[in-house]
Amino acid sequence: MALFLYQILSSLPLLWLGIYHLISTTGNYLKSPQSYSAKPYHPLSSSSSRLKHLQLYLLILCLLVAFAHQTLISADADPLLKGSTPVHRFSSLQSAAVLFLFFILTLALLISDSTSLLPLPHDLFFALASAAFFLQYYVASSAASVQTSDLQAKCDSVSALISALSSLLCLILACQPRFFMADVALAGSLCLQGLWIFQTGLSLCVEAFIPEGCHRLLDVVNGVEGSTQCDLEESRLRAVAILDLLFVIHVIFVVVIVIVTYGVIAKNVGVRRLGSYEALPTSATADSNHIQMKALTGTQA
């Protein structure tokens, strides 16, 4: 249960960050499409300078808690060994290192946005964020390759693909900051990562959501690698197929969030529907214009 609570605390900040970035990005674009440029952070509309950067403060706190958690569990004894190597210790340390890198980037963004000590350009920050997401992809894919649990390996591999997508989108925004669709897709990838972390916690830690034919090992308390196993090959294939289906459902849900958010903001801003055309002139209007042109020609003569 403790591991599931950690998954919830990890997923909520990502989901909120993605939705907030989506709302802010869409609003900025619809208000001024000509001057739009992607920003890594959108301050809150507040007269207080402290509340203005409240989101960054909360994100820094969450990253510190996650970093401490990964560091502490890396020191636990590993009840599941591959040979004589405690695999989960190294995986936890790698995850802690990635979290610390994101902490450094968030702290640098806070200093850059609130002071003049570190004037960090937006394109440079997106490039650094791309490198951080790529490192997260590498760590997650490496963890998936050494897992003894097929369910954990599947969850890690999907998480790695989402991180790779975020890395690519950040790189695109570093090169093309006016690419609105890439900025929206980045917000969607953050939402998707948060939802998938929550789904991972459900599928691996909550008995009611563990696929049929799979179970948690009774002698594993902390939920380290390999603690959720499937007894039969048929059960394993079925569980992996269920995870694939759940991932598709989460993607559809994120797409719906993007569409609804764009529609609501466009209605509030008062933007006309894209693809609308002017009405074609009727025959009466055409005849009237023809008469006016003939009268104008006769006057000039």
Side-chain angles (χ1 to χ4, degrees), residues 65-81:
V65 172
F67 170 76
H69 176 266
Q70 292 293 336
T71 303
L72 289 175
I73 65 174
S74 66
D76 289 344
D78 189 357
L80 294 172
L81 302 179

Side-chain angles (χ1 to χ4, degrees), residues 6-282:
Y6 172 76
Q7 296 284 356
I8 295 177
L9 294 177
S10 300
S11 63
L12 288 179
L14 278 174
L15 183 59
W16 162 247
L17 182 64
I19 293 177
Y20 178 79
H21 189 79
L22 175 63
I23 294 174
S24 302
T25 296
T26 305
N28 290 345
Y29 174 77
L30 293 178
K31 290 177 182 177
S32 182
Q34 301 300 327
S35 61
Y36 168 79
S37 181
K39 298 179 181 179
Y41 172 68
H42 302 271
L44 295 173
S45 300
S46 176
S47 57
S48 174
S49 59
R50 294 183 177 179
L51 293 179
K52 186 178 180 181
H53 300 95
L54 178 62
Q55 187 180 10
L56 288 180
Y57 289 126
L58 294 177
L59 184 58
I60 289 174
L61 178 61
C62 292
L63 287 172
L64 284 176
V65 172
F67 170 76
H69 176 266
Q70 292 293 336
T71 303
L72 289 175
I73 65 174
S74 66
D76 289 344
D78 189 357
L80 294 172
L81 302 179
K82 296 184 68 174
S84 58
T85 304
V87 179
H88 91 281
R89 291 186 176 181
F90 296 104
S91 299
S92 299
L93 286 176
Q94 291 172 0
S95 299
V98 173
L99 290 170
F100 186 72
L101 178 57
F102 278 107
F103 166 76
I104 293 176
L105 288 179
T106 307
L107 184 61
L109 183 60
L110 176 61
I111 296 175
S112 176
D113 196 74
S114 59
T115 67
S116 58
L117 298 177
L118 185 63
L120 191 65
H122 292 169
D123 54 352
L124 177 58
F125 180 84
F126 277 120
L128 295 175
S130 176
F133 278 117
F134 182 81
L135 182 61
Q136 188 179 37
Y137 153 75
Y138 175 78
V139 169
S141 58
S142 298
S145 64
V146 299
Q147 289 289 350
T148 58
S149 168
D150 294 312
L151 294 184
Q152 181 70 62
K154 181 63 179 181
C155 292
D156 288 343
S157 62
V158 172
S159 180
L161 290 177
I162 300 174
S163 298
L165 175 62
S166 300
S167 176
L168 177 61
L169 293 171
C170 286
L171 184 60
I172 293 175
L173 291 175
C175 301
Q176 298 290 336
R178 296 179 58 83
F179 194 8
F180 169 67
M181 297 309 299
D183 208 6
V184 170
L186 177 60
S189 68
L190 294 176
C191 293
L192 184 59
Q193 188 71 272
L195 291 173
W196 187 249
I197 291 176
F198 179 74
Q199 182 62 55
T200 299
L202 286 177
S203 300
L204 298 180
C205 305
V206 181
E207 290 292 342
F209 292 92
I210 295 178
E212 184 180 354
C214 306
H215 59 88
R216 287 174 57 82
L217 299 182
L218 298 178
D219 58 340
V220 178
V221 179
N222 296 327
V224 299
E225 61 94 16
S227 58
T228 304
Q229 301 283 4
C230 300
D231 297 327
L232 303 175
E233 179 67 12
E234 182 180 355
S235 299
R236 183 190 69 83
L237 294 176
R238 179 177 178 274
V240 171
I242 290 175
L243 289 176
D244 287 332
L245 176 61
L246 290 172
F247 177 71
V248 173
I249 293 175
H250 286 308
V251 172
I252 295 174
F253 184 64
V254 171
V255 171
V256 172
I257 290 177
V258 172
I259 294 175
V260 171
T261 301
Y262 188 93
V264 171
I265 297 178
K267 183 178 180 180
N268 292 333
V269 174
V271 179
R272 291 190 307 171
R273 180 172 61 88
L274 296 179
S276 60
Y277 299 94
E278 297 292 336
L280 294 175
T282 61

